[in-house]
Amino acid sequence: MLNTLRKIVQEVNSAKDLKTALGIIVLRVKEAMGSQVCSVYLLDPETNRFVLMATEGLNKRSIGKVSMAPNEGLVGLVGTREEPLNLENAADHPRYRYFAETGEERFASFLGAPIIHHRRVVGVLVIQQKERRQFDEGEEAFLVTMSAQLAGVIAHAEATGSIRGLGRQGKGIQEARFVGVPGSPGAAVGRAVVMLPPADLEVVPDKTVEDIDNELKLFNNALEGVREDMRKLSAKLATQLRPEERALFDVYLMMLEDAALGGEVVEVIKTGQWAQGALRQVVGEHVNRFELMDDDYLRERASDVKDLGRRLLAYLQEARSQSLVYQDNTILVSEELTPAMLGEVPEGKLVGLVSVLGSGNSHVAILARAMGIPTVMGLVDLPYSKVDGIELIVDGYKGEVFTNPGEVLRKQYSDVVEEERQLARGLDALRELPCVTPDGHRMPLWVNTGLLADVARAQQRGAEGVGLYRTEVPFMINQRFPSEKEQLAIYREQLQAFHPLPVTMRTLDIGGDKALSYFPIKEENPFLGWRGIRVTLDHPEIFLVQTRAMLKASEGLNNLRILLPMISGIHELEEALHLIHRAWGEVRDEGTDVPMPPVGVMVEIPAAVYQTKELARQVDFLSVGSNDLTQYLLAVDRNNPRVADLYDYLHPAVLQALNTVVRDAHGEGKPVSICGEMAGDPAAAILLMAMGFDSLSMNATNLPKVKWMLRQVNLSKAKELLEDALSHDNPQLTHSALQLALKNLGLARMIGPNKTL
């Protein structure tokens, strides 16, 4: 069954549109299960009815015509109950409904499985048999597995508008919503420009071309380029390979001939398909044929064809890359965005970013926040190669992307974009003003930085210091560990830019979702693995070099604060403090006169919450990392879109933990700050101020909004709101109550229709 399933999924994934995919599914499932009927019903969101969209065994003329409401028929029952239904004689069931046009009166037994995507029922998959019999457990399991596979195919079709089979110009294109992870706050409305990864055939989209001769010329140049590469490779490896192994290069050269793969691609180009699309089609057909063969040797040949295809595509992409056109309101979409891609878009044209892979902590997300570009990461379900030219909405607050938005949604988001523009202009006036509540409470607002671009933005927005400088960013940009001298120059730049304001530098925090290409950490569960202080204590040479560079960089400025990440207990802290003192001694012995800077601990692991008192006694300050602390307290990977909606920093457990940390730190007479997304949320900032945090640190984009909000709310009122928030046992209740309270105070403009709350 597994082998059958693999073959069906492979065939379905290479289908050109939804109609073809559904046709393949009903035919192959009917064959695999030996049933007489297999049908797919899809839920039409406009009419809220299950419509027959494909069948093998029933009357084909009823496709698109037969439909039933969720409270009608057996299909409706499967859809509303969201579980399989297995009947020996369907006609005996009280919910059975007969449609004369389908000819289904001949079939007695019925097995239906719901097709569910992200908790939403999108359709029902059904098999039927003439004789009365109960389908066995194996058959039921196979159908349920098949329907789970089908869910993704339908979601992709919805996104690209092909669910009605009408293509991009058709009238029935659907608005579809995809959930990812927020990368950079803000909203954008624009058109998708898809940047394909180098030489990945599977994601090449279809494109019709007028100038067929030019495509043929491009393809012939690519053929010649690959032939030349093969000859060179063969000659280079002549002494290292046996004759039979070198024969593989001859096979490659033969495949490129006109009578083989090369000729087939030329024929497809002549039908009006661009060269890259024609190559994908031909290579895909060959690969599928090989992979479906039972002979191991022949199956292996599929990888040879793929390799050839990739080599040809690389040449074609090189010729193409010069000709990408960027229009106004470009939303850049890619499987994995890179900083280089951002640089290719002309200034002023880029309004949003969408990345299928990557997290809110990836280098691109950090860069996007520094540039103030709304970004959504980790959009794993988006069929990105097919959205080129389609209108998109990017919601960087919630981490959502809408394809083919309707008039209502477009208007709603266009209003948000305009409102933000006006708001930004209004907030500029606050730059020189202090963050003081109406009843006189002073709340210092600091920024999180990592790139040089962050510095200018932070200064433009009136930051009072740096609460978190991510030292891993220079490490991530590099191709090797930066030397002490290189680090010194980078840190000096940051410390000088903000002098005399304090700059809190976190020691290297790699691991988890922050990887260094030259220092790979491969782990089953990286977030609970070797990351942060655990890595640098195991590599004191990295820690000492970094600490020495920080200390030397602060000479004459004395505005450095050192912050230790991922501390889970006293033992780690003592080890780290010992190394810092050692580095300080070495630097002073070398003649650099610097005082010992304040050292702090990040509270981001639940263990640290319960040891706040003990940790506070040994350090000068504490800083809560709200992103990781929320993630660890709720056991939710915040970069996983499937559970992203469970990640909520207004969860009662998170609020209680934060309250405990402030109380215990202050009990030891030590200041405590907070950095992370929570500090940059204007409504959550009110609660943090009420808890008694001594400073809030956020990305520069959010700083004016937080300042505006805190300047409107009395500390006494904030304490009332906190008391109310702590009384709820449900984060949704906390959100609603806070939103209502702010609305009543006339402060809803900071939490508009699509903001965090």
Side-chain angles (χ1 to χ4, degrees):
M1 274 300 187
L2 264 178
N3 206 23
T4 309
L5 190 68
R6 182 178 61 83
K7 288 182 179 179
I8 296 175
V9 169
Q10 230 173 343
E11 214 178 329
V12 166
N13 284 341
S14 58
K16 67 177 189 294
D17 57 24
L18 184 68
K19 192 179 171 189
T20 315
L22 295 178
I24 292 166
I25 282 167
V26 291
L27 178 66
R28 296 289 178 241
V29 171
K30 176 175 174 277
E31 286 172 0
M33 300 190 71
S35 65
Q36 280 126 359
V37 176
C38 180
S39 312
V40 172
Y41 296 81
L42 292 189
L43 184 62
D44 183 334
E46 286 169 27
T47 60
N48 196 33
R49 293 179 72 82
F50 289 97
V51 184
L52 179 64
M53 292 295 279
T55 186
E56 279 293 328
L58 299 184
N59 187 341
K60 297 249 176 155
R61 283 197 291 275
S62 59
I63 291 174
K65 296 191 179 80
V66 167
S67 73
M68 60 198 87
N71 60 355
E72 291 179 325
L74 299 175
V75 168
L77 185 63
V78 173
T80 46
R81 279 177 45 180
E82 299 182 7
E83 57 185 355
L85 182 64
N86 188 348
L87 300 172
E88 198 174 322
N89 188 22
D92 289 348
H93 196 280
R95 279 286 292 268
Y96 176 74
R97 188 168 165 210
Y98 167 58
F99 293 93
E101 58 267 58
T102 62
E104 69 180 327
E105 73 280 359
R106 302 191 302 278
F107 305 103
S109 47
F110 172 100
L111 175 60
I115 304 164
I116 298 173
H117 188 72
H118 284 325
R119 300 191 182 187
R120 182 170 65 94
V121 174
V122 290
V124 174
L125 180 61
V126 174
I127 57 168
Q128 290 167 280
Q129 204 96 350
K130 279 181 184 171
E131 70 274 12
R132 290 188 181 199
R133 76 173 183 93
Q134 192 93 26
F135 289 98
D136 66 34
E137 279 180 12
E139 290 167 314
E140 193 172 312
F142 179 79
L143 201 69
V144 167
T145 312
M146 198 64 239
S147 67
Q149 296 284 347
L150 185 51
V153 175
I154 292 167
H156 282 199
E158 278 186 344
T160 53
S162 66
I163 194 154
R164 294 281 169 270
L166 292 168
R168 218 178 282 166
Q169 282 75 39
K171 287 196 179 101
I173 291 179
Q174 300 252 303
E175 180 179 287
R177 169 177 164 265
F178 292 86
V179 180
V181 174
S184 173
V189 181
R191 287 213 172 265
V193 171
V194 176
M195 273 209 164
L196 298 173
D200 184 352
L201 267 174
E202 287 174 18
V203 298
V204 170
D206 289 323
K207 271 187 192 173
T208 314
V209 286
E210 302 291 323
D211 192 347
I212 289 173
D213 289 342
N214 185 48
E215 291 304 306
L216 289 169
K217 188 173 147 206
L218 285 171
F219 181 63
N220 284 322
N221 289 346
L223 274 177
E224 202 35 62
V226 175
R227 283 189 190 118
E228 189 52 33
D229 288 349
M230 288 299 126
R231 292 187 196 107
K232 280 181 184 165
L233 266 174
S234 180
K236 188 178 167 190
L237 298 172
T239 55
Q240 298 165 40
L241 297 178
R242 295 196 296 274
E244 61 269 28
E245 288 167 335
R246 279 182 63 197
L248 178 62
F249 291 105
D250 299 330
V251 172
Y252 271 27
L253 288 166
M254 267 164 46
M255 286 166 92
L256 294 169
E257 293 306 318
D258 291 347
L261 200 130
E264 287 181 45
V265 176
V266 167
E267 289 310 309
V268 179
I269 293 172
K270 285 177 180 170
T271 67
Q273 173 73 284
W274 71 320
Q276 296 186 30
L279 179 66
R280 184 211 66 225
Q281 195 176 317
V282 171
V283 168
E285 285 165 8
H286 280 274
V287 166
N288 277 346
R289 272 204 294 276
F290 279 125
E291 284 184 343
L292 294 174
M293 289 175 181
D294 293 325
D295 183 285
D296 284 348
Y297 173 78
L298 289 173
R299 249 204 325 271
E300 284 297 313
R301 299 287 62 76
S303 62
D304 294 341
V305 179
K306 270 187 204 161
D307 181 46
L308 256 191
R310 274 196 292 266
R311 288 169 186 275
L312 286 165
L313 182 62
Y315 273 95
L316 289 171
Q317 283 184 339
E318 209 175 309
R320 244 335 128 168
S321 62
Q322 319 305 327
S323 58
L324 259 182
V325 179
Y326 298 101
Q327 295 170 333
D328 288 345
N329 297 331
T330 286
I331 291 174
L332 204 55
V333 181
S334 180
E335 182 179 31
E336 195 155 22
L337 285 169
T338 64
M341 289 178 181
L342 269 61
E344 285 181 36
V345 185
E347 209 173 328
K349 292 194 182 282
L350 185 64
V351 295
L353 297 170
V354 175
S355 186
V356 174
L357 302 177
S359 69
N361 262 340
S362 65
H363 183 197
V364 167
I366 293 166
L367 192 61
R369 286 198 286 274
M371 294 165 72
I373 301 168
T375 303
V376 176
M377 310 289 290
L379 220 70
V380 289
D381 284 325
L382 183 77
Y384 71 101
S385 63
K386 296 191 170 75
V387 300
D388 196 56
I390 280 179
E391 191 170 11
L392 296 185
I393 286 173
V394 173
D395 183 337
Y397 294 105
K398 291 182 179 171
E400 293 176 347
V401 168
F402 298 88
T403 56
N404 305 309
E407 202 48 56
V408 177
L409 198 65
R410 193 187 298 113
K411 167 92 173 72
Q412 192 184 357
Y413 272 92
S414 297
D415 289 351
V416 171
V417 171
E418 184 50 39
E419 184 189 306
E420 284 184 345
R421 204 174 286 132
Q422 307 245 351
L423 195 58
R425 277 206 291 272
L427 293 175
D428 279 348
L430 289 177
R431 192 170 84 188
E432 304 302 330
L433 298 173
C435 183
V436 181
T437 64
D439 55 356
H441 178 70
R442 180 87 172 82
M443 189 76 235
L445 300 184
W446 295 5
V447 284
N448 303 333
T449 66
L451 299 155
L452 206 55
D454 293 328
V455 176
R457 291 178 71 82
Q459 288 167 339
Q460 285 160 12
R461 284 158 176 75
E464 299 171 62
V466 176
L468 172 66
Y469 170 62
R470 301 180 176 93
T471 60
E472 64 274 6
V473 175
F475 282 76
M476 286 160 79
I477 299 167
N478 243 308
Q479 297 306 307
R480 54 170 174 74
F481 280 110
S483 68
E484 184 176 319
K485 207 171 171 185
E486 287 168 327
Q487 289 183 58
L488 191 156
I490 295 165
Y491 303 154
R492 181 81 182 173
E493 216 165 14
Q494 281 281 329
L495 292 163
Q496 253 172 342
F498 287 95
H499 185 262
L501 300 171
V503 175
T504 312
M505 295 195 164
R506 178 172 68 188
T507 62
L508 188 62
D509 187 15
I510 54 168
D513 56 354
K514 294 190 285 265
L516 301 180
S517 55
Y518 49 89
F519 189 68
I521 300 172
K522 293 270 184 286
E523 290 181 308
E524 278 296 308
N525 197 339
F527 284 102
L528 300 182
W530 201 45
R531 61 173 298 207
I533 201 76
R534 299 167 183 180
V535 176
T536 48
L537 288 180
D538 284 353
H539 281 275
E541 76 283 12
I542 296 172
F543 189 87
L544 285 165
V545 165
Q546 183 175 37
T547 310
R548 285 163 52 88
M550 285 179 185
L551 292 165
K552 285 180 179 177
S554 73
E555 188 180 15
L557 299 172
N558 302 335
N559 58 339
L560 167 70
R561 294 163 24 116
I562 295 176
L563 185 59
L564 302 166
M566 282 290 288
I567 295 286
S568 60
I570 295 296
H571 178 62
E572 285 171 334
L573 174 57
E574 285 172 345
E575 251 188 285
L577 286 172
H578 169 71
L579 288 173
I580 291 171
H581 279 277
R582 184 175 141 191
W584 183 54
E586 288 171 7
V587 164
R588 284 169 59 109
D589 289 346
E590 288 169 25
T592 306
D593 183 26
V594 286
M596 181 69 185
V599 178
V601 158
M602 282 199 90
V603 178
E604 48 189 344
I605 295 178
V609 173
Y610 296 102
Q611 280 206 296
T612 301
K613 282 183 179 175
E614 291 78 6
L615 294 168
R617 284 178 198 140
Q618 301 229 32
V619 291
D620 303 294
F621 66 96
L622 288 101
S623 180
V624 174
S626 67
N627 296 357
D628 265 330
L629 184 58
T630 303
Q631 163 170 274
Y632 290 129
L633 277 170
L634 303 180
V636 169
D637 175 0
R638 61 196 159 102
N639 296 317
N640 180 344
R642 290 199 172 87
V643 291
D645 58 334
L646 296 173
Y647 176 87
D648 193 330
Y649 46 65
L650 291 192
H651 190 286
V654 179
L655 295 179
Q656 299 284 0
L658 294 173
N659 222 13
T660 302
V661 172
V662 179
R663 187 191 64 221
D664 290 355
H666 285 175
E668 296 300 321
K670 297 293 163 67
V672 56
S673 62
I674 180 165
C675 52
E677 299 307 312
M678 187 178 187
D681 175 341
I686 294 173
L687 303 182
L688 298 172
M689 177 175 75
M691 286 178 192
F693 277 96
D694 296 284
S695 60
L696 309 180
S697 191
M698 63 211 70
N699 71 57
T701 310
N702 283 15
L703 194 142
K705 298 176 186 178
V706 172
K707 186 188 277 191
W708 182 88
M709 181 67 91
L710 298 185
R711 283 174 57 89
Q712 315 296 315
V713 182
N714 282 328
L715 181 60
S716 53
K717 183 64 188 173
K719 286 186 171 171
E720 279 176 38
L721 294 175
L722 175 63
E723 200 178 325
D724 181 60
L726 290 170
S727 69
H728 299 306
D729 57 3
N730 178 325
Q732 275 71 41
L733 271 177
T734 310
H735 281 283
S736 307
L738 194 49
Q739 191 161 19
L740 186 63
L742 293 175
K743 224 173 191 170
N744 292 340
L745 290 169
L747 302 176
R749 66 186 283 223
M750 280 302 157
I751 48 165
N754 300 294
K755 304 293 194 290
T756 333
L757 281 162

